[in-house]
Amino acid sequence: MRARRVTRLVALLLACAAPPVTAQRAAFVDRIVAVVNKEVITASELTERIGFAELQLRRQKIALPERALLERQMLERLILDKAQVQLAAETGLRVDELQLDRAVQRIAESNNVTLAEFRRRLEADGMRFDKFRADVRQQILQQRLREREVDERVQVSESEIDIFMEENKAAAGAQEYNAAHVLVRIPEQAGPERIAQARARAEKARADALAGGEFARIAASASDAGDALQGGALGWRSLARLPELFADALKTMKAGEVSAVLRSPAGFHVVKLIELRGAGIAAPVTQTRARHILIKTSEVVSEADARRRLAGLRERIVGGVDFAELARLNSQDGTAARGGELGWVHPGDTVPEFERAMHALKPGELSEPVRSPFGFHLIQVLERRTSDMSAERQRLQARQQLRERKSEEAYQEWLRQLRDRTYVELRLEER
């Protein structure tokens, strides 16, 4: 439900335009390299994913790890991806064609080109457009699965917020940390030997970093985290926005230092502090006063039906019928009694799809039907203002930062549990 996650998704997909592999495939006899539940991963899939990874690393000027290490990393990534897509399908998550069209269009717009030009560039880089669309669909499914299985279950208590705000009072706005990390994941029921092997991998990654090895290359070779191909980069964050385990280590480190091997429920971690900077003074925020009408989809109400109903309501509003009255009669949201009023909305308060559509509107404008995880909305912006952050807003921001921290930790643990309960048969060595 966070715009940052969508941004990372777009960056990942754009980095994955692969070089042509047709010639390789022509001389390649395909075979099965892994079985994941009842589906297979083929050697050609693995070869293609490795090609994506190598191109991504080159574009970031990260030295390529050994082929065998990269092969193992990419196979594990494919296994986790397939397990997530299978779970999404089994539990009814879908991405329809219109949603997919809009996502691809947004990616093109984020690169300041038309869809036709974006498609031409992809194909010039050797990536089929239908394959790109399939990758986008999969990433959206995985994002929605995370939101449902992890993010929506994360709870933050008032006492946690009080403690968090007190602990971060002195540091608020003081410093930001540019860090990178390596994660060596441990299966949930791992025995002492498996744990020792994982710790040894983490210790080796740390030793290589201390010996002056390029940390991005070490992460690409050794890390099981989803950001391994970005060199394990976490980007600029305040301590409040980092996992507590990382924050505790980083606040005593200097730029260039590497942490000891850290242990979490997900596995072993090594963190490097790359740079440190002052965060500066918090800028005023732009708030939007808006209202909406929500129509939820269900087994009875299809997406087409929801769009059709909202299109009809939109025509009536444009024709002069009162928005608030139609919201009271039709909206399937708790705001219906208030005529759809959301009050003053801060950035990050709403899901990305809703926020994007809302920010594109001028005061007084009415949107077309907008899809979000909750259903379909008509949105109208009433006014905007810029204001300093109130005490109430500071608590809300603290809640969001705590949720982000706890969500990332919970997501890594959830991935480990999903991997543990997935039937996997490895056949990579059967050459």
Side-chain angles (χ1 to χ4, degrees):
M1 294 172 65
R2 294 175 175 82
R4 282 185 295 276
R5 204 166 292 147
V6 175
T7 303
R8 289 198 296 268
L9 161 65
V10 170
L12 174 62
L13 290 168
L14 292 174
C16 288
V21 294
T22 308
Q24 296 174 25
R25 287 179 178 164
F28 190 81
V29 178
D30 212 356
R31 61 187 177 85
I32 296 172
V33 294
V35 178
V36 183
N37 291 322
K38 295 182 179 180
E39 296 184 41
V40 301
I41 297 173
T42 64
S44 60
E45 288 180 85
L46 180 57
T47 299
E48 185 172 55
R49 179 62 70 94
I50 291 170
F52 291 169
E54 289 176 338
L55 182 64
Q56 189 174 349
L57 292 169
R58 287 192 188 101
R59 286 180 171 174
Q60 296 173 90
K61 296 181 171 55
I62 297 174
L64 297 182
E66 295 177 16
R67 176 75 179 199
L69 291 173
L70 189 58
E71 189 175 58
R72 180 184 62 79
Q73 293 285 83
M74 292 303 100
L75 181 57
E76 186 61 30
R77 195 73 52 81
L78 279 169
I79 290 168
L80 267 178
D81 287 349
K82 196 166 286 285
Q84 290 175 78
V85 171
Q86 288 171 355
L87 180 59
E90 290 165 6
T91 53
L93 283 179
R94 299 285 186 275
V95 178
D96 65 30
E97 290 302 310
L98 183 58
Q99 294 165 344
L100 184 57
D101 289 343
R102 287 174 174 169
V104 173
Q105 180 68 46
R106 284 197 299 270
I107 294 172
E109 289 170 357
S110 72
N111 283 269
N112 300 313
V113 295
T114 65
L115 183 59
E117 173 63 14
F118 183 69
R119 178 171 184 167
R120 187 194 66 75
R121 291 185 184 182
L122 282 176
E123 292 174 344
D125 272 343
M127 176 170 244
R128 303 189 317 275
F129 190 63
D130 61 335
K131 177 64 170 63
F132 180 79
R133 283 174 59 87
D135 288 346
V136 174
R137 186 193 299 274
Q138 177 174 308
Q139 294 292 331
I140 294 172
L141 275 175
Q142 289 177 223
Q143 181 178 314
R144 291 184 182 173
L145 185 66
R146 171 176 174 163
E147 289 170 357
R148 188 189 68 190
E149 297 293 322
V150 179
D151 295 349
E152 292 179 4
R153 301 182 185 185
V154 172
Q155 301 295 323
V156 178
S157 69
E158 293 301 316
S159 61
E160 285 180 304
I161 295 172
D162 291 337
I163 294 169
F164 178 83
M165 291 184 70
E166 184 63 31
E167 288 178 347
N168 289 278
K169 187 182 297 181
Q175 289 186 315
E176 288 183 334
Y177 297 74
N178 181 15
H181 76 120
V182 167
L183 163 65
V184 180
R185 193 171 279 121
I186 306 172
E188 190 169 19
Q189 302 299 325
E193 184 179 353
R194 186 72 179 272
I195 293 173
Q197 290 172 350
R199 178 179 283 278
R201 278 181 58 200
E203 292 285 4
K204 184 179 185 308
R206 180 175 185 268
D208 290 345
L210 290 173
E214 182 187 3
F215 196 86
R217 184 177 188 274
I218 294 167
S221 303
S223 183
D224 295 324
D227 53 22
L229 292 183
Q230 287 79 52
L234 296 167
W236 285 104
R237 299 194 199 183
S238 64
L239 290 179
R241 288 186 50 230
L242 285 160
E244 190 170 5
L245 183 71
F246 292 4
D248 288 343
L250 286 167
K251 62 189 178 186
T252 61
M253 291 168 59
K254 297 177 182 177
E257 288 186 341
V258 178
S259 74
V261 172
L262 310 172
R263 176 73 188 269
S264 79
F268 293 106
H269 308 258
V270 178
V271 182
K272 179 173 182 176
L273 177 56
I274 300 167
E275 295 178 88
L276 192 62
R277 72 182 183 190
I281 300 171
V285 295
T286 299
Q287 300 170 289
T288 302
R289 182 169 160 249
R291 55 187 178 180
H292 77 132
I293 298 172
L294 170 67
I295 303 296
K296 296 180 179 179
T297 56
S298 64
E299 293 181 0
V300 177
V301 180
S302 69
E303 294 194 353
D305 291 336
R307 284 196 192 93
R308 192 160 40 247
R309 284 181 60 184
L310 284 177
L313 293 174
R314 188 180 191 281
E315 285 185 13
R316 295 176 65 188
I317 293 166
V318 171
V321 178
D322 183 54
F323 186 108
E325 183 61 28
L326 290 181
R328 279 189 282 269
L329 294 173
N330 295 278
S331 186
Q332 298 169 344
D333 183 66
T335 62
R338 305 194 300 270
E341 274 269 6
L342 293 166
W344 287 102
V345 179
H346 289 73
D349 283 352
T350 60
V351 294
E353 298 90 339
F354 190 100
E355 185 166 287
R356 275 192 298 268
M358 181 177 69
H359 285 172
L361 298 172
K362 297 176 183 177
E365 280 191 327
L366 181 65
S367 74
E368 297 291 338
V370 175
R371 195 195 190 290
S372 83
F374 304 103
F376 286 84
H377 311 253
L378 278 184
I379 308 169
Q380 186 176 51
V381 169
L382 300 175
E383 53 184 319
R384 285 198 172 92
R385 71 183 184 191
T386 300
S387 66
D388 293 327
M389 193 174 292
S390 64
E392 179 183 353
R393 181 62 190 174
Q394 288 174 354
R395 285 189 70 82
L396 179 59
Q397 186 179 69
R399 182 185 297 276
Q400 290 172 336
Q401 290 174 340
L402 270 171
R403 279 183 60 85
E404 182 178 346
R405 170 186 285 183
K406 294 175 76 172
S407 174
E408 185 58 36
E409 293 167 350
Y411 179 57
Q412 293 301 329
E413 175 63 12
W414 178 81
L415 281 177
R416 183 178 77 159
Q417 293 174 0
L418 176 65
R419 176 64 172 85
D420 288 348
R421 67 174 183 261
T422 300
Y423 171 78
V424 177
E425 180 183 335
L426 297 175
R427 300 184 183 178
L428 187 58
E429 303 305 322
E430 300 175 8
R431 299 183 186 272

